[in-house]
Amino acid sequence: MEVWNSSEAVVSTFILRGFPEWKYIHPWLSIPFCLAYLIAFVGNVVIVSVIWKESSLHQPMYYFLSILALTDLGMSLSTLPTVFAVLWLDAQEIQASACFAQLFFIHTFTFLESSVLLAMAFDRFVAICCPLHYSTILTNSVIGKIGLTCLLRSMGIVLPTPLLLRRCHYCHVNNLSHAFCLHQDVLKLSCSDARINSIYGLCAVIATIGVDSLFILLSYVLIFNAVLGIASREEQRKTLNTCASHICVLLIFFVPVIGVSMVHRFGKHLSPTVHIVMADIYLLLPPVLNPIVYSVRTKQIRLGILRNSGLRRRL
């Protein structure tokens, strides 16, 4: 096997193909993307500002929600520059260093979202299973440490991926499949031995999304077990209702993630458009829908939004 030295392993640019089959309608295609990014930006900024201003929302559940909103903002802003560069300016070329930086942020915020969803599941578990100790377990200090741990964990796990990609030699045409850089998309262009990269990428996903999903499932098994022990049907309904928004957000995040994984593993015969659309849904759906879910389903958030917008309505 031929071994490439590190000086040969550096590629200068990649080409973001974006939406090749729809290139002739890029100006029209930019309209739904503009709308999606606008909803994501405004929705998450509103959630954070309302929680910041409303003293009644200074509780662990809403602190975690504000961290989720900031994560969604980071995720959407990570892809926005290159998506609109492709759609508006037809600027498909991206420097390798910028590409590696972008995929670092995209994957960091993806793993961070998974971690924050686990923290929110833990919050619901403590609130329902240990209500008398809720305020003593989830203090402001503990919440801050949980948030910092989630961030450092995500960054630490993702950091080796761009460093490993820089050592690869790219001898094929450097056309990427999307309007942004993803680890697997860049890796498939390498003609070096990429087994270490592939194994590390798989281990990173298992250590984050895989482990988080198992602990979230365990949390809800314990929550449902505790709820079933409540005698009153009405109390059961009210207790489960406090978890409804979080369950919706879990589905919004994990269903597209599973869909992307299935398409990547078993959909190689599918049209490239399917892969492109699935990746866009996976990265855009949570930032767009999460603030809508919490605004619609959480009365305290709705009241806070109405108060801060100057509206007065009885809900």
Side-chain angles (χ1 to χ4, degrees):
M1 179 180 295
E2 186 174 356
V3 178
W4 304 94
N5 62 47
S6 59
S7 63
E8 294 175 324
V10 178
V11 66
S12 58
T13 60
F14 291 103
I15 304 299
L16 300 170
R17 296 181 66 205
F19 314 92
E21 296 182 11
W22 301 335
K23 193 170 183 177
Y24 63 97
I25 60 166
H26 272 184
W28 294 104
L29 196 60
S30 67
I31 295 174
F33 275 92
C34 274
L35 184 60
Y37 280 110
L38 182 62
I39 292 172
F41 181 78
V42 173
N44 287 293
V45 167
V46 166
I47 292 290
V48 173
S49 62
V50 166
I51 293 172
W52 178 269
K53 293 177 181 178
E54 292 289 321
S55 57
S56 61
L57 299 180
H58 292 176
Q59 303 173 32
M61 173 183 174
Y62 300 108
Y63 287 143
F64 285 125
L65 175 56
S66 65
I67 297 173
L68 180 68
L70 290 172
T71 303
D72 285 334
L73 274 174
M75 187 184 295
S76 56
L77 292 176
S78 296
T79 59
L80 184 148
T82 53
V83 168
F84 285 111
V86 171
L87 292 178
W88 283 347
L89 307 175
D90 198 27
Q92 296 179 300
E93 192 172 282
I94 183 172
Q95 293 295 317
S97 56
C99 184
F100 296 146
Q102 185 183 47
L103 69 86
F104 168 77
F105 285 110
I106 289 174
H107 292 296
T108 293
F109 283 116
T110 300
F111 291 163
L112 180 57
E113 179 121 355
S114 174
S115 300
V116 174
L117 290 175
L118 172 59
M120 295 174 79
F122 176 68
D123 167 77
R124 291 298 83 206
F125 164 75
V126 175
I128 294 171
C129 299
C130 311
L132 298 178
H133 304 287
Y134 182 64
S135 58
T136 56
I137 293 175
L138 288 174
T139 62
N140 290 347
S141 173
V142 169
I143 293 169
K145 289 175 182 177
I146 290 174
L148 182 60
T149 301
C150 290
L151 177 61
L152 293 178
R153 173 205 187 205
S154 302
M155 292 178 65
I157 289 176
V158 177
L159 184 59
T161 56
L163 301 178
L164 290 170
L165 288 172
R166 288 184 66 88
R167 297 178 58 83
C168 293
H169 182 88
Y170 302 92
C171 55
H172 301 152
V173 177
N174 296 327
N175 289 334
L176 297 174
S177 302
H178 308 289
F180 38 78
C181 297
L182 295 175
H183 175 255
Q184 286 296 331
D185 200 24
V186 174
L187 186 60
K188 72 182 183 182
L189 299 179
S190 171
C191 56
S192 306
D193 185 354
R195 282 177 296 181
I196 293 177
N197 302 64
S198 296
I199 293 171
Y200 184 80
L202 179 62
C203 291
V205 171
I206 293 172
T208 52
I209 295 176
V211 171
D212 292 347
S213 60
L214 287 176
F215 277 109
I216 289 170
L217 179 61
L218 176 61
S219 297
Y220 272 98
V221 168
L222 296 174
I223 287 171
F224 289 139
N225 184 59
V227 169
L228 290 175
I230 301 174
S232 168
R233 290 273 185 178
E234 182 63 19
E235 286 298 317
Q236 288 181 352
R237 187 190 65 79
K238 288 181 179 179
T239 303
L240 286 176
N241 194 51
T242 64
C243 301
S245 297
H246 184 244
I247 292 172
C248 290
V249 169
L250 286 172
L251 294 174
I252 289 168
F253 177 75
F254 283 104
V255 170
V257 166
I258 294 170
V260 167
S261 301
M262 296 295 288
V263 167
H264 177 73
R265 292 290 175 186
F266 307 110
K268 300 187 186 299
H269 62 287
L270 296 175
S271 165
T273 303
V274 176
H275 292 264
I276 293 169
V277 171
M278 287 298 297
D280 289 328
I281 290 174
Y282 141 69
L283 289 173
L284 266 178
L285 203 64
V288 171
L289 293 187
N290 287 352
I292 295 175
V293 167
Y294 274 98
S295 298
V296 170
R297 293 200 57 87
T298 309
K299 184 176 181 180
Q300 291 85 345
I301 295 291
R302 291 203 308 273
L303 289 171
I305 292 172
L306 293 173
R307 277 194 292 268
N308 283 274
S309 63
L311 299 175
R312 292 293 182 269
R313 246 174 54 188
R314 293 187 67 182
L315 297 180

